Amino acid sequence: MHALSRRISDVLGLDPGVHAIEYDGHWYTWRQLADASKRIASAVQPGTDVGLLLRNSPSHVAALLAVLAAGGSVVVINPSRGDERIRADIAALALPVIVGTEDDITLLAHPADVATVVSIGDLDTAPRIRPGVPTDAGAGRVAVRMLTSGTTGPPKRVDLTYDMLAVSVIGTDFTTAPEPTGVSGNVAIVNAPLVHIGGVYRVLQCICQARPFVLLPRFELASWAAAVRRYSPKAVSLVPAALRMVLQSDLGPHDLAGVRAVTSGTAPLSAEDADAFFEKFGIPVLTSYAATEFGGGVAGWTLADHRKYWKSKRGSVGRASLGADLRVVSDDGVPLGAGQVGLLEVKPGQHGRDAAWVRTTDLARIDADGFLWILGRADQAIIRGGFKVLPDDVRAALENHPAVLGASVVGMADERLGETPVAMIELRRGESVTDAELVEYLRSRLAPYEIPSEIAIVEAIPRTPSGKADLTAVRRHFTGRDR
């Protein structure tokens, strides 16, 4: 049994009668979570691919833990991508086991008769198992076939091994790390979607630390704030879009009393927003850099680094973490010196000691103290009449406008210039501004070729489950088609 599977099983049995998950105002115990997991696990053989139509609910958490405790492979299926696409995805996967709610199984899965089907309700209702035809299992190395966020195209799956997940949620010494001896008295809040690695990571981290948690169906300001006031967690996690909602809300320092740090990742967060959050709430924002392909984070801020370095390193995403190595290289792969801009390469600690360098599409620089700055995506650069425009630079300039809550910038084809930047804007509550006023605002902040040729002000920017702007949907707004 892998160390991660053993940790999950051991923690579920630590203190069965106490609280494990709060959902919709009701607490479920570790016994309820363990019993549901054991029932679902009875349908899983080690190494078996198990399709999970994942939603943020206690029964889906039980299903995730069941597959991992049994040594199976979770194949993440997003039940909110549109019925036809989901059906086509499931048909192509030809999964031997499928787990979901009765409605999801009936409306979306249409599993073949050979598949084992597990229908789940709430933790008080035993799952219904319809056995299928036994199949030969695989080697059992893959823990989760995780969906990427799909910001620039259809989501794809990345195989995360048991070792990779264990490094992220237990630590680099996961084979020898001491296990918790009792359930923690501190309550965490999980508001990230389980169909994204951030949700899976946070749930598994809570389980491996024997920490009870509030599970929210999605980030919603009022319910999130109520949970923070009720349990005063020491740390909370907010994607940039959610952090800006909190920042622009009527919440005050008393609402976040007890919170010592906010962690933020998945998308760029400006130093101005981080500073504004600290000024309003007195809480430091610890940004990080991660990717599904890495199996989690590879760089981030610590509280100690924030106290010592933030003023001189603001805007950085922190230093290498979890045993990762970072470097910046030229287009030809030649390593560059401190402070030089190039493509970021990573040796994730989650990939093991003999890992190869992974080249990203992110432009970056690393200073002499090891702090990393992400400067934009090389593959999203817009070439306008021979000039390079980085969408993140334009987005950051727009988001500094006092009326703008969020922005997304993409390239649109132009017969004369080849491509021009266009921007979608979401305004803060009660604010108003015209596209002409925004253009005038940008004239003193950007080069003329960086200013968007078109600005669309919308009620809400379309986003992926991880909170990133859905660039395909943004582009379709302007062009009527995918790029």
Side-chain angles (χ1 to χ4, degrees):
M1 178 181 285
H2 192 275
L4 179 60
S5 302
R6 183 170 58 253
R7 174 68 70 94
I8 291 170
S9 297
D10 290 349
V11 168
L12 288 178
L14 269 179
D15 201 344
V18 302
H19 291 164
I21 301 176
E22 184 197 89
Y23 182 78
D24 196 22
H26 176 74
W27 274 103
Y28 295 91
T29 66
W30 291 94
R31 178 180 290 110
Q32 289 173 290
L33 186 60
D35 288 347
S37 293
K38 288 176 183 176
R39 295 188 188 103
I40 297 168
S42 67
V44 180
Q45 296 297 317
T48 299
D49 280 347
V50 180
L52 294 190
L53 291 113
L54 275 171
R55 299 183 183 275
N56 279 34
S57 82
S59 58
H60 289 86
V61 170
L64 172 70
L65 300 179
V67 178
L68 296 177
S73 297
V74 174
V75 181
V76 174
I77 300 170
N78 183 352
S80 303
R81 288 192 65 231
D83 293 1
E84 292 305 318
R85 284 192 291 183
I86 297 167
R87 292 185 190 114
D89 188 26
I90 292 174
L93 289 167
L95 296 160
V97 182
I98 298 178
V99 181
T101 65
E102 190 70 47
D103 285 345
D104 282 343
I105 295 295
T106 302
L107 298 175
L108 302 176
H110 295 303
D113 290 339
V114 296
T116 295
V117 177
V118 182
S119 300
I120 55 177
D122 57 36
L123 289 189
D124 294 321
T125 304
R128 293 176 56 244
I129 301 175
R130 191 201 75 187
V133 177
T135 58
D136 293 330
R141 290 184 62 252
V142 175
V144 179
R145 302 190 190 279
M146 191 74 237
L147 284 170
T148 59
S149 56
T151 54
T152 59
K156 59 182 182 294
R157 288 184 176 83
V158 174
D159 286 355
L160 306 181
T161 67
Y162 274 86
D163 282 358
M164 290 167 67
L165 271 186
V167 169
S168 286
V169 302
I170 299 176
T172 53
D173 60 344
F174 65 86
T175 58
T176 58
E179 295 193 0
T181 56
V183 173
S184 171
N186 297 318
V187 177
I189 300 173
V190 176
N191 48 264
L194 283 172
V195 294
H196 181 258
I197 189 172
V200 169
Y201 167 81
R202 287 178 179 85
V203 164
L204 291 180
Q205 189 178 50
C206 288
I207 296 298
C208 289
Q209 294 173 351
R211 186 181 305 279
F213 59 94
V214 178
L215 180 66
L216 300 178
R218 66 191 64 81
F219 179 82
E220 192 274 324
L221 183 63
S223 57
W224 178 86
V228 172
R229 284 191 292 265
R230 192 158 59 247
Y231 296 112
S232 297
K234 293 181 180 179
V236 294
S237 178
L238 294 169
V239 299
L243 184 141
R244 283 190 285 270
M245 288 178 63
V246 175
L247 180 59
Q248 299 304 319
S249 72
D250 296 330
L251 297 175
H254 60 284
D255 294 296
L256 275 62
V259 178
R260 295 178 55 207
V262 173
T263 60
S264 185
T266 76
L269 178 74
S270 70
E272 289 75 17
D273 280 339
D275 283 341
F277 197 94
F278 183 79
E279 183 177 348
K280 179 175 182 178
F281 297 105
I283 301 171
V285 178
L286 308 180
T287 55
S288 62
Y289 177 75
T292 306
E293 292 82 354
F294 303 152
V298 293
W301 281 91
T302 64
L303 273 173
D305 274 353
H306 192 278
R307 295 188 190 103
K308 184 175 181 181
Y309 290 108
W310 177 253
K311 288 184 179 180
S312 61
K313 313 286 187 181
R314 64 190 296 273
S316 164
V317 293
R319 296 198 267 194
S321 60
L322 289 174
D325 291 324
L326 310 173
R327 72 181 183 185
V328 171
V329 302
S330 67
D331 290 342
D332 297 329
V334 178
L336 302 176
Q340 292 185 277
V341 176
L343 291 170
L344 178 65
E345 289 192 339
V346 179
K347 273 188 180 181
Q350 293 91 332
H351 289 193
R353 294 179 181 176
D354 300 323
W357 287 102
V358 177
R359 180 172 294 188
T360 73
T361 55
D362 289 319
L363 293 171
R365 65 180 175 90
I366 302 172
D367 73 7
D369 294 316
F371 283 87
L372 168 67
W373 278 261
I374 302 298
L375 307 177
R377 290 279 295 269
D379 62 343
Q380 291 175 17
I382 300 164
I383 307 302
R384 181 178 190 169
F387 293 96
K388 180 181 287 188
V389 179
L390 297 180
D392 277 346
D393 289 348
V394 183
R395 175 197 56 77
L398 284 164
E399 289 180 348
N400 281 334
H401 189 285
V404 174
L405 176 63
S408 180
V409 178
V410 297
M412 187 167 70
D414 183 274
E415 289 185 6
R416 184 172 65 89
L417 298 171
E419 202 171 25
T420 64
V422 294
M424 180 177 283
I425 304 297
E426 181 179 346
L427 299 181
R428 293 175 178 172
R429 185 177 57 187
E431 297 287 347
S432 64
V433 68
T434 67
D435 54 351
E437 290 170 335
L438 287 170
V439 168
E440 188 60 33
Y441 172 81
L442 294 176
R443 291 193 193 282
S444 62
R445 292 164 173 80
L446 297 175
Y449 60 83
E450 293 178 294
I451 295 176
S453 60
E454 185 178 349
I455 296 177
I457 299 174
V458 299
E459 184 176 342
I461 293 172
R463 297 188 180 277
T464 68
S466 62
K468 297 180 183 179
D470 185 336
L471 300 185
T472 299
V474 172
R475 190 173 291 110
R476 190 183 301 117
H477 175 91
F478 291 98
T479 66
R481 62 186 185 279
D482 295 346
R483 188 176 182 179

